């Protein structure tokens, strides 16, 4: 039985082999035909997609032209709700289309991966078949595999072309969506402006109407008061008439109040609608949201106050109505007047009830808007600082990012071409007057460029300014940098001014402006670094050359990464590539931190040799804090908290900018004071006195004011105002009482004020003594009298300052009785010598038995009296 089955299987195998060999030519012809049909069909689909991309490009250009027309039309264009809704639907359709394109792009990437995997598998099968001797059936199978490989390769090439088309389509859809968003945003702004103008006009009309009505009620109240004055007598009829007149006067007054509340409610409703529209619109920055929150809270407080007052008046009217309802009379005339009063008060109660209802609704609306504003503000702060940017997690996403990075030069070239086309289009559409002005501007810039070229070079300026002051050196360096960058500076300013004159597209103008800013942002720091490290104005060293090379690479890489970030924020590259560029920038900062940490000891050693010890200590501490801050920002950025890292880097950059500005202004101020001193010494007989008593104190005061201004500027930049949580917490801590003297409490703020006032009082009175001795009492021939008068002037002004301080602090001298008694006990017990010296000093200043420049002998030591104070005498020995 088994032999029969084996023979049957052998015959079946032979028969199948004969059929396969017989029909193999037909199969070999059929498969290529099918492959060709699939490839041709795929090619036909790609051609249609190319045509659709061309049509989409035309649509994008049309949208750009429509947007420009809308911008040029200004407020003259008519915007209605239907057009706004149509544009909104178009925007939503564009967003859906963009999502669909992104999904198609992902599907294409998956298809490419599947095709690549299938090709690898087929190649492995073909390799295993060809490893041995091929039989007829194996040759047929190998041919099929080769045909499948050819088909897979063709399809893979088509899928790659498909991916390129999807990328182009996605870019065009992004551009179209951006244009539609700008168009919708502009329409929304115009529509909101129209609605706002209509509401504002209606509000103005209502305000006029309510003003007229209020004037009428005021006139009515005045007339009723005059009529009330004419009513005399104390009969029941007269009393009823007076009561009715008083009720009518109250009606006029309360109606006038209701008109004011109605106007306040209308204004509040208008403001709430405006603020709610802002919150529903585009994303707002945190400072703008903070101002909206503050404004909404203010409106909410005003409405609550008006609501409470209106409810209180309504309750009073209800009580008044209850009182009037209890009054009865037998006379019909008096009863009619009582009913009239009750009707007036009842109508007022109804009006107040309606107004209370309106205010309650507005208060609820204000509460909702305030809650929304607070929520959006907190979410914005949280999102902007604590959001963590995640990197792609799939291989095909990284592959797409790599592909986009490789296409970046092409993207930059295309963007530059678009900017050039926009400029050319704006130039060709300009009139003759603009072109003539542009030619005149070009001629003026060429003349400026020629004048700048005549400035001395840095080497020549160094020879002229050898040993000059800070201002002259800074001016020399600035002029040298201006001369070295004259060509690029002239070209940039000419291009930007020309774009502004011919009204070039805003996006192209922004791109060009940011490109120029990046260019000069790299050129100027390099020029300053050359001046500080390698210029003829400073001593050369090998470590400075190494530092300059590292700094060059740092600036170049910073500019390139900043270019990436600029393209991302202008939506030229995808958000994924922007996130990767931000992460790379933070990693670059971490590498820069390591380089700075390596160079810090050498820089500090150089500063220790050339700078004073005070500045060396400040530089050492500042460099440590700078590196710590830099490391923190880089670590957070690499970990994904890019927004928080950018915030830290921005604060650090502003700090450096303010410090550099403070240092430059301080150096200029120092040179200016030295120049004034030289002028005083050259042209005045009392030049030394001018320099020591006027210019030097003024210089110190200006330096103090400059430091205060720098600190205030830094606080304003950081947003540390009275509303910031940090300063509010510090303010609460400083205003917490520590101890009491009498009825006055003392906190940290008052103690700091007292210490600062005493310090300034000591410094001022010390300067006043010198100034009065050398200037005010300079005509006194006796030096002893001159010194006594100067000393009494000092201590008199000091005593006056102490009294002013006590008055400012709110302290009464009677509240210091215990302290004065304690001082008296202290004098009696252990402070006798100090009190004795104090009284003796006063006697010496008054009777002058001892004068300055007298020769005295104290305990066998001879010397000259140089100064007589109220507590001590200074004797200078030989």
């Amino acid at each position: 039985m088994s032999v029969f089955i084996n023979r049957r299987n052998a015959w079946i195998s032979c028969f199948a082999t004969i059929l396969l060999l017989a029909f193999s030519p037909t199969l070999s012809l059929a498969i290529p035909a099918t492959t060709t049909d699939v490839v041709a069909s795929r090619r036909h689909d790609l051609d249609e997609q190319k045509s659709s991309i061309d049509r989409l490009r035309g649509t994008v250009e049309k949208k750009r032209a429509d947007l420009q027309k809308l911008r040029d039309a200004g407020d003259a264009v008519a915007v209605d709700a239907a057009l706004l809704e149509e544009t909104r639907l178009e925007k939503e359709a564009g967003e859906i289309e963009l999502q669909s394109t992104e999904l198609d792009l992902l599907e294409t990437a998956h298809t490419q991966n599947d095709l690549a995997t299938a090709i690898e598998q087929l190649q492995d099968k073909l390799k295993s078949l060809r490893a041995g001797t091929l039989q007829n059936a194996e040759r047929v199978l190998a041919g099929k595999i080769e045909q499948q490989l050819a088909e897979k390769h063709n399809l893979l090439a088509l899928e790659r072309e498909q991916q390129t088309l999807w990328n182009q389509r996605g870019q065009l859809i992004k551009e179209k969506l951006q244009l539609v968003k700008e168009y919708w945003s502009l329409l929304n702004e115009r529509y909101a402006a129209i609605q706002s103008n209509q509401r504002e006009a209606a509000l103005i009309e209502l305000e006029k109407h309510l003003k007229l009505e209020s004037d009428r009620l005021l006139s009515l109240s005045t007339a009723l008061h005059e009529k009330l004055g004419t009513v005399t007598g104390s009969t029941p009829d007269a009393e009823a008439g007076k009561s009715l007149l008083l009720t009518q006067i109250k009606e006029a007054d309360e109606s006038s109040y209701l008109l004011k509340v109605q106007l306040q409610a209308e204004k509040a409703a208008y403001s709430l609608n405006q603020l709610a529209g802002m919150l529903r619109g585009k994303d707002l920055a945190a400072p703008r949201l903070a101002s909206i929150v503050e404004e909404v809270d203010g409106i909410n407080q005003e409405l609550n106050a008006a609501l409470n007052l209106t409810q209180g008046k309504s309750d009073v009217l209800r009580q008044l109505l209850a009182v009037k309802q209890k009054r009865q009379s037998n006379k019909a005339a008096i009863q009619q007047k009582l009913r009239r009063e009750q009707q007036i008060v009842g109508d007022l109660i109804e009006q107040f009830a309606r107004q209370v209802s309106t205010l309650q609704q507005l208060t609820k609306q204000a509460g909702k808007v305030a809650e929304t504003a607070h929520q959006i503000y907190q979410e914005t702060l949280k999102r902007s600082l604590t959001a963590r940017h995640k990197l792609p997690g799939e291989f095909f996403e990284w592959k797409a990012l790599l592909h986009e990075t490789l296409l970046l030069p092409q993207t930059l070239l295309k963007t530059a071409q678009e900017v050039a086309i926009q400029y050319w289009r704006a130039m060709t559409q300009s009139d003759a007057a603009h072109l003539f002005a542009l030619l005149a501007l070009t001629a003026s810039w060429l003349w400026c460029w020629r004048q700048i070229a005549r400035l001395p070079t840095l080497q020549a300026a160094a020879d002229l300014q050898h040993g000059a002051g800070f201002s002259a050196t800074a001016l020399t360096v600035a002029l040298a940098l201006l001369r070295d960058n004259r060509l690029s500076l002239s070209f940039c300013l000419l291009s930007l001014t020309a774009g502004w004159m011919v009204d070039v597209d805003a996006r192209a103008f922004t791109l060009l402006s940011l490109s120029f800013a990046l260019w000069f942002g790299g050129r100027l720091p390099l020029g300053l670094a050359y001046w500080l490290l390698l210029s003829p104005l400073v001593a050369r060293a090998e470590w400075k050359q190494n530092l300059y090379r590292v700094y060059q690479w740092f600036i170049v890489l910073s500019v390139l990464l900043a270019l990436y970030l600029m393209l991302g924020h202008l939506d030229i590259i995808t958000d994924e590539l922007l996130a990767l560029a931000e992460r790379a920038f933070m990693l670059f900062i971490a590498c820069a931190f390591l380089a700075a940490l390596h160079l810090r000891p050498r820089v500090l050693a150089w500063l220790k040799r050339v700078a004073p010890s005070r500045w060396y200590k400040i530089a050492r501490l500042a460099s440590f804090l700078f590196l710590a801050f830099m490391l923190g920002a880089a670590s957070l950025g690499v970990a994904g908290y890019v927004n928080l890292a950018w915030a830290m880097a921005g604060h650090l950059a502003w700090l450096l900018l303010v410090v550099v500005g403070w240092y430059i202004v301080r150096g200029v101020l120092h040179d200016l004071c030295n120049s004034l001193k030289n002028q005083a010494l050259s042209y005045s007989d009392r030049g030394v006195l001018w320099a020591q008593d006027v210019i030097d104190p003024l210089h110190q005061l200006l330096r103090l004011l400059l430091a205060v201004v720098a600190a205030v500027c830094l606080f304003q930049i950081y947003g540390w105002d009275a509303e910031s949580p940090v300063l509010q917490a510090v303010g609460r801590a400083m205003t917490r009482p520590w101890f009491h003297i009498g009825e006055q409490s003392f906190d940290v703020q008052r103690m700091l004020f007292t210490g600062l006032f005493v310090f300034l009082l000591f410094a001022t009175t010390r300067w006043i003594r010198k100034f009065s001795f050398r200037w005010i009492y300079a005509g006194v021939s006796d030096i002893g009298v001159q010194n006594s008068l100067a000393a009494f002037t000092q201590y008199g002004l000091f005593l006056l300052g102490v009294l002013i301080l006590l008055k400012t602090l709110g302290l009464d001298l009677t509240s210091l009785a215990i302290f004065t008694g304690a001082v008296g006990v202290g004098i009696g017990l252990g402070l006798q010598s100090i009190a004795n010296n104090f009284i003796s000093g006063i006697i010496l200043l008054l009777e002058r038995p001892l004068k300055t420049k007298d020769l005295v002998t104290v305990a066998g030591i001879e010397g000259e009296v140089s100064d007589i104070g109220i507590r001590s005498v200074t004797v200078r020995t030989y």
Side-chain angles (χ1 to χ4, degrees):
M1 186 68 182
S2 60
V3 174
F4 175 75
I5 293 174
N6 290 334
R7 287 181 179 178
R8 187 184 63 180
N9 291 336
W11 280 105
I12 291 173
S13 298
C14 291
F15 183 70
T17 303
I18 292 172
L19 289 177
L20 183 61
L21 291 176
F23 290 100
S24 60
T26 305
L27 292 174
S28 63
L29 292 175
I31 292 175
T34 304
T35 303
T36 304
D37 292 340
V38 172
V39 172
S41 176
R42 198 76 180 91
R43 173 63 63 184
H44 179 69
D45 294 339
L46 293 179
D47 293 336
E48 290 183 353
Q49 291 182 16
K50 289 180 180 179
S51 301
S52 65
I53 288 175
D54 293 335
R55 291 192 298 271
L56 182 59
R57 189 175 288 109
T59 305
V60 170
E61 293 298 328
K62 183 178 181 301
K63 289 295 180 184
R64 185 176 286 112
D66 293 341
L67 179 61
Q68 189 62 37
K69 288 181 181 178
L70 183 61
R71 288 173 178 170
D72 296 337
D75 296 333
V77 64
V79 181
D80 55 1
L83 180 60
L84 193 63
E85 182 66 17
E86 181 181 353
T87 309
R88 186 186 66 81
L89 293 176
E90 186 179 3
K91 179 176 70 71
E92 293 179 355
E95 293 175 350
I96 295 173
E97 187 178 5
L98 180 60
Q99 294 176 0
S100 176
T101 305
E102 291 176 352
L103 292 176
D104 291 336
L105 188 61
L106 292 175
E107 184 180 356
T108 303
H110 284 299
T111 304
Q112 288 183 19
N113 292 331
D114 295 341
L115 287 173
T117 304
I119 288 173
E120 292 178 359
Q121 293 176 356
L122 290 175
Q123 287 176 348
D124 293 339
K125 288 183 180 180
L126 186 61
K127 185 177 180 180
S128 60
L129 285 175
R130 291 177 176 176
T133 303
L134 297 178
Q135 301 297 328
N136 291 332
E138 293 175 346
R139 288 194 187 95
V140 172
L141 184 59
K144 290 183 179 180
I145 293 174
E146 289 177 354
Q147 292 171 3
Q148 291 177 2
L149 274 175
E151 179 185 1
K152 298 296 183 183
H153 279 295
N154 291 331
L155 291 176
L156 182 59
L158 292 176
E159 289 297 330
R160 288 173 179 172
E161 187 176 354
Q162 176 71 75
Q163 185 178 13
T164 303
L165 292 177
W166 283 131
N167 287 326
Q168 294 178 2
R169 182 179 180 83
Q171 187 66 30
L172 288 174
I173 290 175
K174 283 184 179 180
E175 294 180 9
K176 177 186 173 183
L177 182 59
Q178 182 64 29
L179 292 173
V180 172
K181 285 182 178 180
E182 293 180 6
Y183 192 85
W184 180 78
S185 177
L186 193 56
L187 285 178
N188 201 6
E189 290 178 2
R190 301 282 171 81
Y191 184 74
I194 292 173
Q195 295 293 321
S196 177
N197 292 333
Q198 292 177 355
R199 294 194 195 99
E200 188 173 359
L203 187 62
I204 292 173
E205 291 296 328
L206 178 63
E207 187 173 2
K208 291 180 180 179
H209 173 70
L210 294 179
K211 182 67 170 57
L212 293 175
E213 187 67 18
S214 179
D215 293 340
R216 186 188 68 81
L217 291 173
L218 181 61
S219 301
L220 178 62
S221 178
T222 304
L224 290 173
H225 274 288
E226 293 176 354
K227 187 176 180 180
L228 180 63
T230 60
V231 177
T232 59
S234 58
T235 61
D237 291 338
E239 294 296 331
K242 290 180 181 180
S243 178
L244 179 59
L245 287 174
L246 289 174
T247 305
Q248 291 175 346
I249 291 172
K250 188 171 185 62
E251 179 188 14
D253 294 338
E254 298 299 339
S255 298
S256 179
Y257 168 77
L258 287 175
L259 291 177
K260 294 179 181 179
V261 173
Q262 183 182 358
L263 182 60
Q264 182 183 3
E266 292 293 336
K267 290 182 177 179
Y270 174 75
S271 300
L272 288 175
N273 289 329
Q274 293 288 103
L275 296 174
M278 292 180 185
L279 295 174
R280 287 193 302 268
K282 56 186 179 181
D283 294 336
L284 298 174
R288 179 58 182 148
L289 284 172
S291 64
I292 291 177
V293 167
E294 182 179 1
E295 189 173 356
V296 172
D297 289 341
I299 294 173
N300 198 6
Q301 292 176 2
E302 293 177 359
L303 289 175
N304 283 321
L307 178 60
N308 293 330
L309 182 58
T310 306
Q311 285 179 342
K313 285 180 173 290
S314 179
D315 293 339
V316 171
L317 289 174
R318 293 180 187 278
Q319 295 174 6
L320 181 62
L321 179 62
V323 171
K324 290 186 178 298
Q325 286 176 351
K326 294 179 180 179
R327 293 174 58 187
Q328 300 292 332
S329 178
N330 296 325
K331 293 184 179 181
I334 298 176
Q335 189 67 28
Q336 184 178 2
K337 291 179 181 180
L338 290 175
R339 285 197 298 270
R340 176 61 181 158
E341 288 185 37
Q342 294 174 6
Q343 182 181 0
I344 291 173
V345 176
D347 292 340
L348 280 176
I349 291 174
E350 291 180 0
Q351 294 177 16
F352 269 88
R354 288 194 296 269
Q355 195 62 54
V356 166
S357 177
T358 302
L359 289 174
Q360 287 176 347
Q361 293 177 0
L362 280 177
T363 304
K364 291 180 180 179
Q365 182 182 357
K368 292 180 180 179
V369 175
E371 183 180 359
T372 303
H374 281 280
Q375 184 178 1
I376 294 176
Y377 179 63
Q378 295 297 331
E379 289 179 355
T380 302
L381 290 179
K382 183 178 179 181
R383 183 173 64 251
S384 60
L385 292 179
T386 61
R388 185 177 182 182
H389 296 183
K390 296 182 179 180
L391 294 176
E394 300 293 337
F395 175 75
F396 67 89
E397 294 178 347
W398 283 101
K399 191 175 180 181
L401 287 178
L402 178 61
H403 181 69
E404 186 179 1
T405 304
L406 295 176
L407 292 178
L408 187 60
Q410 182 180 355
T411 304
L412 290 175
L413 181 60
K414 182 180 177 182
T415 305
Q417 290 176 354
E418 291 179 357
V419 173
I421 291 172
Q422 292 293 335
Y423 260 78
W424 177 254
R425 185 179 300 168
M427 294 284 186
T428 54
Q429 294 177 358
S430 300
D431 53 6
H434 284 86
L435 294 178
F436 180 77
L438 187 59
L439 290 176
L441 180 65
T442 304
S444 63
W445 277 120
L446 289 176
W447 180 82
C448 293
W449 175 78
R450 187 175 181 84
Q451 297 299 319
I452 293 173
R454 295 178 180 178
L455 293 174
T457 61
L458 190 60
Q459 180 65 46
D463 297 336
L464 294 175
Q465 299 292 335
H466 185 69
F470 177 83
S471 301
T473 304
L475 182 60
T476 299
V477 173
L479 293 177
L481 291 176
L482 181 62
R483 183 184 184 278
D484 294 339
N485 295 277
R486 62 188 184 277
L487 182 60
S488 56
L489 181 63
S490 300
F491 175 74
C492 295
L493 293 178
L494 179 62
S495 302
L496 294 177
T497 310
W500 174 73
M501 289 178 60
V502 299
D503 195 16
V504 76
D505 183 69
R507 187 169 182 269
F509 189 81
T510 304
L511 277 170
L512 196 63
S513 303
L514 292 177
S515 301
F516 290 156
L518 286 178
W519 172 259
F520 286 108
R523 290 277 298 176
L524 294 180
L526 281 177
L528 290 175
Y530 176 80
W531 167 62
L532 290 171
L533 299 174
L534 302 179
S535 69
L537 299 174
V538 296
R540 290 181 174 270
E542 183 179 357
W543 70 269
K544 293 182 181 180
Q545 296 179 356
N546 297 331
L547 178 60
Y548 183 71
R549 293 193 193 97
V550 173
Y551 189 74
Q552 278 182 319
W553 282 106
F554 177 79
I555 292 296
V556 171
L557 292 176
S558 298
V559 170
L560 291 177
L561 290 173
L563 178 63
Y564 263 93
L565 299 178
M566 181 192 76
L567 296 177
H569 288 292
L570 292 176
D571 294 332
I572 297 177
I573 61 176
T574 60
D575 295 337
E576 291 78 8
L577 189 58
L578 172 62
L580 184 62
E582 289 178 337
R583 195 72 65 91
F585 194 87
M586 295 301 165
L587 184 61
F588 170 68
I589 291 178
C591 297
F593 162 78
L594 296 177
L597 187 64
H598 178 71
L599 293 172
R600 179 174 177 266
R602 297 184 180 181
V603 176
L604 290 178
W606 172 70
L607 283 176
K608 191 174 184 180
R609 292 194 305 269
V610 301
S613 59
R614 178 186 59 183
W615 286 105
Y616 167 73
K617 294 178 181 178
I618 293 175
R620 184 175 61 182
L621 178 61
S623 63
F624 174 77
L625 295 177
F626 175 79
L627 290 178
F629 211 82
M630 188 176 178
L631 177 62
S635 302
L636 289 172
V638 172
Y641 299 98
V642 180
N643 293 336
L644 183 58
W646 276 120
M648 295 177 64
H651 281 67
L652 183 60
W654 279 115
L655 176 62
L656 291 177
L657 185 62
V658 171
V659 169
V660 169
W662 166 79
Y663 181 76
I664 292 174
V665 177
R666 184 177 179 274
V668 173
L669 182 63
H670 182 268
D671 291 345
L672 179 61
C673 291
N674 287 336
S675 177
L676 291 176
K677 287 181 182 180
N678 295 331
Q679 294 290 328
L681 293 173
S682 300
Y683 298 101
S684 177
D685 297 334
R686 310 182 71 180
V688 177
L689 299 181
W690 276 100
Q692 295 180 357
D693 296 337
V694 178
I695 298 177
D696 281 343
L698 182 62
H699 185 202
Q700 294 178 1
L701 180 61
L702 290 177
R703 286 173 60 180
L704 179 62
L705 291 178
L706 181 62
V708 172
V709 169
V712 171
C713 291
L714 201 62
F715 272 56
Q716 291 295 326
I717 291 172
Y718 287 169
W720 293 349
D721 52 5
E723 301 297 330
S724 62
V726 177
L727 291 187
Q728 287 181 353
V730 173
R732 288 192 296 268
M734 293 183 66
T735 55
R736 186 179 296 113
W738 278 23
F739 58 90
H740 295 78
I741 296 180
E743 296 181 356
Q744 295 295 328
S745 62
F746 280 80
D747 49 24
V748 178
Q749 182 177 356
R750 180 167 290 191
M751 293 170 63
L752 288 177
F753 170 76
T754 304
L756 179 62
F757 187 88
V758 171
F759 171 77
L760 293 177
L761 186 61
F762 268 111
T764 304
T765 53
R766 191 182 299 114
W767 173 78
I768 286 176
R769 178 172 181 174
K770 294 181 180 179
F771 184 80
S772 61
F773 180 80
R774 297 183 180 181
W775 292 84
I776 299 176
Y777 306 124
V780 180
S781 58
D782 193 341
I783 297 179
V785 175
Q786 187 179 356
N787 180 67
S788 299
L789 291 174
F792 278 115
T793 302
Q794 175 190 3
Y795 293 119
L797 291 177
F798 183 80
L799 180 60
L800 179 62
V802 170
L803 294 177
I804 293 174
L805 176 62
L806 294 177
K807 184 66 176 178
T808 304
L809 295 176
L811 291 176
D812 191 2
L813 294 178
T814 57
S815 63
L816 300 177
I818 299 176
F819 178 74
T820 307
V823 172
V825 174
I827 291 175
L829 295 177
L831 302 177
Q832 295 180 4
S833 60
I834 294 177
N836 186 18
N837 291 336
F838 186 78
I839 301 300
S840 300
I842 295 177
I843 295 173
L844 287 176
L845 291 174
L846 289 175
E847 296 184 356
R848 295 185 296 106
L850 188 66
K851 300 185 294 296
T852 57
K853 296 188 178 180
D854 286 350
L855 300 178
V856 297
T857 301
V858 180
I861 300 175
E862 296 183 354
E864 179 182 349
V865 177
S866 61
D867 183 63
I868 300 177
I870 201 170
R871 189 188 58 84
S872 62
V873 176
T874 303
V875 178
R876 187 183 301 276
T877 63
Y878 298 106

